[in-house]
Amino acid sequence: MSASAYLLERAWVGGAVRDDVLVEIEGGRFTRVSAVSSQNPHDTPGPDGVSRGVRPAGPRRLPGLTLPGLANCHSHAFHRALRGRTQRGRGTFWTWRDQMYDVAARLDPDTYFGLARATYREMAAAGITTVGEFHYLHHQPDGTPYDDPNAMGRALVAAAAEAGVRIALLDTCYLSSGFGRPVEGAQVRYSDRSAAAWADRVAQLNDDDRTRIGAAIHSVRAVPREELPTVVAAAAGRPLHAHLSEQVAENDACLATYGVTPTGLLHDAGALGPLTTVVHATHLTGADLMHLGGPATRACFCPTTERDLGDGIGPGRALQQAGAVLTLGSDSHAVIDLFEEMRALEMDERLATQQRGHWAAAELLEAATAHASLGFDDAGAIAVGQRADLVTLDTSTVRTAGTGADENTAAFAATAADVVHVVADGAVVFRRGDEADVGRELDAAIGRIHP
Amino acid sequence: MSASAYLLERAWVGGAVRDDVLVEIEGGRFTRVSAVSSQNPHDTPGPDGVSRGVRPAGPRRLPGLTLPGLANCHSHAFHRALRGRTQRGRGTFWTWRDQMYDVAARLDPDTYFGLARATYREMAAAGITTVGEFHYLHHQPDGTPYDDPNAMGRALVAAAAEAGVRIALLDTCYLSSGFGRPVEGAQVRYSDRSAAAWADRVAQLNDDDRTRIGAAIHSVRAVPREELPTVVAAAAGRPLHAHLSEQVAENDACLATYGVTPTGLLHDAGALGPLTTVVHATHLTGADLMHLGGPATRACFCPTTERDLGDGIGPGRALQQAGAVLTLGSDSHAVIDLFEEMRALEMDERLATQQRGHWAAAELLEAATAHASLGFDDAGAIAVGQRADLVTLDTSTVRTAGTGADENTAAFAATAADVVHVVADGAVVFRRGDEADVGRELDAAIGRIHP
């Protein structure tokens, strides 16, 4: 990767919006971040320790407000083919799941790659530079492994690489349809039959500079209690994610089977902690909050999906006060817009409490840049030594004009449509004008699945 | 207005999406709507009774999905200056109101005109062709009338005309700060001192082809019970709107003062009925539902504002089942996007009930095109004789691609950013590429208020 430099009109640096920030990039990382502004004097020295306040002639000027890259901590790429389709008709989470399984049953490594690449390009256009892909479509529809048993997972990694987005492949263990019930229908292709076989398969996958291999427990429905320790052991030192308490029915069944809540079950299996992210965490007890918060477990909220699936409003602030760390994901991709997810975290908590101002914009930005939840501890800030991600918002669109061009513009006015330039690991992965191409690619990829 | 014609690739006509719809427009109205499609044969004869299935060479082709014009049934134009500003910090509805009053105190007819024109242009860009402006900034800050006592209202009418949007000026009676309390602070400029004086002032305003003068009861807080009959009488035959039960505190104070709910008070005053629109209707009793639904009162939900202000989730479906008619508004303009309001009506009901599928896309489109709530009974459908409004969505953007290009795309995938062409009363009021101009106008207008 070659060297480059940008002069950012305004940028979110060191917890504040600063004017005229010069960044220099080499090898995909920031080598210099230097803000010189009459209002907010600030200068981070470069690796040589020298702080140089003079603007070179070379840097490309980026007008607008530039943010660190966003982290989409929970994605099922193939759900993008369901947007505008599963919303019709009545039903519950469970009838939605039947529609989702119907698409899951039709994918092969080739169509999965095409759909994922288009979906990740939509993410890049929305300012997302790392995706956490919660991946469980492992085998052929009848359960037979592909010649390469990781063909489907490798398709996702390749798709992310072509879209220019980093990926945490959260390879998901899925062994049972429900408590004590074998997999059935589309689920047959999700199952490795045992956690040990799942771990053996995952061991054949390797990290690279832009890929982290992580693990996932699909849910306490899908991984029997006795198999959990094998997953936890295999995940040691890697990101471990799990769907948790999205639906009341799952809590009830878990209590009936094991006599503990899903959170209690994960806690007893040693699955909670700072490398673990629980997804949704909507319906929790007071004890659950303590189990999650005590070891600083991450909790990934997906508010637009949680609206769409009628999950309910999770206890975001209570989790954070208990010690958990909030992250955000677009999950079902009914919407791919982390600005909307940020806003929704605050807005839905307002609906639940009839009080305003639970989350400051800076806290929402922190939740939207939680790359560490995906194994990238060196991303999420515009600072020397960090991975060089830059997401630039136009602050004079019909949506953002007149809103102050600060962090509140990002959290409370902007949408993904206001993103005009995206750099990931030093490379430009989206610029205004690319949208039509991405739309055409989505149309083509989804057209292969819904002919 | 001259004649024009469009060939719509797909359009919402007669309750279905049809291909290849030819529309002809004269004098601002549809004179022909003719859909010829192999899948959905449909042909509405023109005024001469002759149905002509041949495509003339002349019409301009509009690719994408074309909808009728949208009606924004509840607007406070000046709140646009608060976007991204009042969201910071903690508080309640009532602390938000203090920030809102601060802007209200600073406007004059000139700055109000500029801000409203820019805001209405943002609306036009979002596919809105009629705005219902709930207007109460009547007088000078010290309460003295302007030389023209309707200078502020006329500024709004002129702003809408320049933006190309029809307006219902819902001139609002506001007489007291709370039950038994005189107006104070910024409210002084809202008050005409009596309902009779309010009615005299409003009588000096006139309808024109694109303007309807309507009336509004700000709330049961702001109009004492004994003044209500005067407002109701003056509003006879015109749209009458009222904020209703947005906050529990208002219900409690009304019950304590009068021994009835706000809905009961409006019912007793004869203020409910099909020409009346109650706004929010969030916290209702079973008896309230009957009072509203019985005479087919309209209820305007403003979900993105109700999230922002922590109002709560209103009983949308229960109101509709009781006989009320749902409409939508962007209210505080934290967001101006009726696609998001449509979706939010359904999504927030899902959050409240943990069930999916309360509102079909066709019902949501009906709620978003309720021009009759604003006194324009001849708008809201692509049909011969109706006002010629056309809102075209690009169905291959990153958001809409692959979603089926039907009414579910509009209700569950599109955003205002996907609107690419808008016709109101036969005239083009927005086309893709105009956004940057609108953004600059918003920046300039808001810059005069927050220097």
Side-chain angles (χ1 to χ4, degrees):
Chain A
M1 279 167 282
S2 60
S4 55
Y6 293 94
L7 182 60
L8 313 174
E9 186 187 18
R10 291 166 74 72
W12 181 249
V13 176
V17 170
R18 303 179 195 276
D19 294 332
D20 298 326
V21 176
L22 175 69
V23 299
E24 292 176 2
I25 298 170
E26 220 175 305
R29 293 184 185 262
F30 294 114
T31 51
R32 182 179 176 200
V33 175
S34 167
V36 183
S37 149
S38 53
Q39 285 190 295
N40 295 303
H42 178 86
D43 200 324
T44 308
D48 60 359
V50 179
S51 176
R52 289 154 291 186
V54 185
R55 297 182 197 168
R60 160 119 198 263
R61 196 164 174 280
L62 283 179
L65 173 63
T66 297
L67 307 171
L70 307 181
N72 189 359
C73 291
H74 192 62
S75 163
H76 302 286
F78 76 93
H79 291 197
R80 176 62 180 82
L82 301 167
R83 185 186 298 173
R85 297 173 187 271
T86 61
Q87 280 78 9
R88 43 192 90 177
R90 302 187 187 275
T92 63
F93 172 88
W94 307 101
T95 51
W96 167 82
R97 199 181 67 158
D98 289 339
Q99 300 171 298
M100 182 267 283
Y101 279 9
D102 183 53
V103 168
R106 278 185 266 159
L107 293 163
D108 61 34
D110 186 45
T111 53
Y112 200 27
F113 167 78
L115 178 55
R117 187 178 65 180
T119 303
Y120 296 155
R121 285 205 163 130
E122 181 177 350
M123 290 186 196
I128 291 162
T129 54
T130 310
V131 60
E133 180 66 32
F134 199 104
H135 163 59
Y136 52 82
L137 295 190
H138 302 308
H139 304 299
Q140 297 185 54
D142 68 355
T144 311
Y146 288 101
D147 290 345
D148 173 359
N150 285 305
M152 294 290 265
R154 290 193 216 278
L156 294 167
V157 171
E162 291 203 10
V165 171
R166 291 184 298 271
I167 188 171
L169 185 70
L170 304 161
D171 195 300
T172 303
C173 185
Y174 195 116
L175 303 173
S176 57
S177 178
F179 299 91
R181 286 171 43 207
V183 290
E184 58 189 28
Q187 295 164 347
V188 169
R189 73 186 308 189
Y190 311 164
S191 175
D192 288 289
R193 296 166 191 257
S194 72
W198 164 85
D200 285 347
R201 180 178 53 71
V202 178
Q204 299 169 37
L205 291 162
N206 295 307
D207 286 357
D208 66 34
D209 180 56
R210 307 199 75 221
T211 305
R212 293 285 176 273
I213 306 302
I217 294 161
H218 178 276
S219 58
V220 297
R221 295 192 308 275
V223 181
R225 174 163 59 180
E226 62 274 18
E227 299 273 16
L228 288 172
T230 305
V231 181
V232 172
R238 297 181 173 281
L240 171 63
H241 287 225
H243 287 134
L244 183 77
S245 292
E246 182 175 7
Q247 290 284 320
V248 172
E250 172 178 304
N251 284 5
D252 293 346
C254 186
L255 277 165
T257 306
Y258 298 125
V260 292
T261 63
T263 300
L265 195 69
L266 293 183
H267 170 264
D268 295 346
L272 304 180
L275 285 177
T276 298
T277 298
V278 295
V279 181
H280 303 304
T282 310
H283 304 284
L284 301 181
T285 66
D288 291 343
L289 291 172
M290 294 302 112
H291 280 323
L292 293 166
T297 307
R298 290 191 171 88
C300 182
F301 274 36
C302 308
T304 66
T305 294
E306 290 150 11
R307 287 174 185 164
D308 191 61
L309 300 186
D311 293 337
I313 299 171
R317 198 70 198 181
L319 272 165
Q320 194 259 5
Q321 281 165 350
V325 177
L326 271 279
T327 72
L328 293 167
S330 67
D331 188 3
S332 69
H333 309 320
V335 175
I336 295 180
D337 186 343
L338 286 193
F339 300 95
E340 180 63 23
E341 304 293 344
M342 278 194 261
R343 197 154 38 240
L345 180 62
E346 168 67 21
M347 295 299 145
D348 289 354
E349 194 126 20
R350 291 183 187 188
L351 285 179
T353 62
Q354 297 179 32
Q355 289 282 321
R356 313 177 79 234
H358 303 274
W359 297 91
E363 293 176 300
L364 296 172
L365 279 170
E366 181 119 4
T369 53
H371 299 263
S373 161
L374 304 174
F376 294 96
D377 298 318
D378 51 357
I382 301 173
V384 170
Q386 290 269 301
R387 286 170 179 270
D389 293 356
L390 297 168
V391 175
T392 305
L393 292 170
D394 183 340
T395 52
S396 293
T397 72
V398 292
R399 290 164 294 278
T400 57
T403 64
D406 63 13
E407 66 273 25
N408 293 286
T409 292
F412 296 113
T415 72
D418 302 310
V419 172
V420 293
H421 193 271
V422 180
V423 171
D425 288 327
V428 177
V429 297
F430 174 79
R431 51 168 70 81
R432 176 181 267 170
D434 293 346
E435 304 91 312
D437 264 352
V438 180
R440 275 189 289 273
E441 185 171 334
L442 282 161
D443 262 333
I446 296 170
R448 292 174 70 192
I449 292 151
H450 300 289
Chain B
M1 281 168 281
S2 61
S4 55
Y6 294 94
L7 182 60
L8 313 174
E9 186 188 17
R10 292 166 74 73
W12 181 248
V13 176
V17 170
R18 302 178 194 278
D19 294 330
D20 299 324
V21 176
L22 175 69
V23 298
E24 292 176 3
I25 298 170
E26 219 175 306
R29 291 182 187 264
F30 294 115
T31 52
R32 180 179 178 200
V33 175
S34 168
V36 184
S37 148
S38 52
Q39 285 190 297
N40 294 303
H42 177 87
D43 200 323
T44 308
D48 60 0
V50 179
S51 176
R52 288 154 292 185
V54 185
R55 296 182 197 168
R60 158 118 199 263
R61 197 162 172 282
L62 283 178
L65 172 63
T66 298
L67 306 171
L70 306 180
N72 190 358
C73 291
H74 192 62
S75 162
H76 303 285
F78 75 94
H79 290 196
R80 176 62 179 83
L82 301 166
R83 185 186 298 173
R85 296 173 188 271
T86 61
Q87 279 79 9
R88 44 194 89 176
R90 304 185 186 274
T92 63
F93 172 89
W94 307 101
T95 50
W96 167 83
R97 199 181 66 159
D98 289 339
Q99 298 170 299
M100 183 267 283
Y101 279 7
D102 182 53
V103 168
R106 277 185 265 158
L107 292 163
D108 61 34
D110 186 45
T111 52
Y112 201 26
F113 166 79
L115 177 55
R117 187 177 65 179
T119 304
Y120 296 155
R121 286 206 162 129
E122 181 177 351
M123 290 187 196
I128 292 161
T129 54
T130 309
V131 59
E133 180 65 32
F134 199 104
H135 162 60
Y136 51 83
L137 294 190
H138 302 307
H139 305 299
Q140 298 185 54
D142 68 354
T144 312
Y146 287 102
D147 291 345
D148 171 1
N150 285 304
M152 294 289 265
R154 290 192 216 278
L156 294 167
V157 171
E162 292 203 9
V165 171
R166 293 184 296 272
I167 188 170
L169 185 71
L170 303 162
D171 194 300
T172 302
C173 185
Y174 196 116
L175 304 172
S176 55
S177 178
F179 298 93
R181 285 169 45 205
V183 291
E184 57 189 29
Q187 296 164 347
V188 169
R189 72 185 307 189
Y190 312 164
S191 175
D192 289 288
R193 297 166 191 256
S194 73
W198 164 84
D200 284 348
R201 181 178 53 71
V202 178
Q204 298 169 38
L205 291 162
N206 294 307
D207 286 356
D208 64 35
D209 179 56
R210 308 198 74 222
T211 306
R212 295 284 176 273
I213 306 302
I217 294 161
H218 178 275
S219 59
V220 297
R221 296 192 308 275
V223 181
R225 174 163 61 179
E226 63 275 16
E227 299 274 17
L228 288 172
T230 304
V231 181
V232 172
R238 296 180 174 280
L240 172 63
H241 287 223
H243 288 134
L244 183 77
S245 293
E246 183 176 7
Q247 289 285 319
V248 171
E250 173 179 302
N251 284 4
D252 293 346
C254 186
L255 276 164
T257 306
Y258 297 126
V260 292
T261 63
T263 301
L265 195 71
L266 292 183
H267 170 263
D268 294 347
L272 303 180
L275 285 178
T276 298
T277 298
V278 294
V279 181
H280 303 304
T282 310
H283 303 285
L284 301 180
T285 67
D288 291 342
L289 290 172
M290 294 302 112
H291 280 322
L292 293 166
T297 307
R298 290 191 171 89
C300 182
F301 274 35
C302 308
T304 65
T305 294
E306 291 151 11
R307 287 173 184 164
D308 191 60
L309 300 186
D311 293 338
I313 300 171
R317 198 70 197 183
L319 272 164
Q320 196 258 7
Q321 282 166 350
V325 177
L326 270 279
T327 71
L328 292 168
S330 67
D331 188 3
S332 69
H333 309 321
V335 176
I336 294 181
D337 185 344
L338 287 193
F339 300 95
E340 179 63 23
E341 304 293 345
M342 279 193 259
R343 198 155 36 242
L345 181 60
E346 168 67 21
M347 295 299 144
D348 288 354
E349 194 127 19
R350 291 182 187 187
L351 284 180
T353 63
Q354 298 180 32
Q355 289 282 321
R356 314 177 80 235
H358 302 274
W359 298 92
E363 293 176 299
L364 295 173
L365 279 170
E366 182 119 2
T369 53
H371 299 264
S373 161
L374 303 175
F376 294 96
D377 299 317
D378 52 357
I382 300 173
V384 170
Q386 290 268 302
R387 287 169 179 269
D389 293 357
L390 297 168
V391 175
T392 304
L393 291 171
D394 183 339
T395 53
S396 293
T397 70
V398 292
R399 291 164 293 278
T400 58
T403 64
D406 63 12
E407 66 273 24
N408 293 286
T409 292
F412 295 113
T415 72
D418 302 310
V419 172
V420 293
H421 193 271
V422 180
V423 172
D425 290 327
V428 177
V429 298
F430 174 78
R431 51 169 71 82
R432 178 180 267 169
D434 293 347
E435 304 91 312
D437 264 351
V438 179
R440 275 188 288 273
E441 185 170 334
L442 282 161
D443 262 333
I446 296 169
R448 292 175 71 192
I449 293 150
H450 299 289

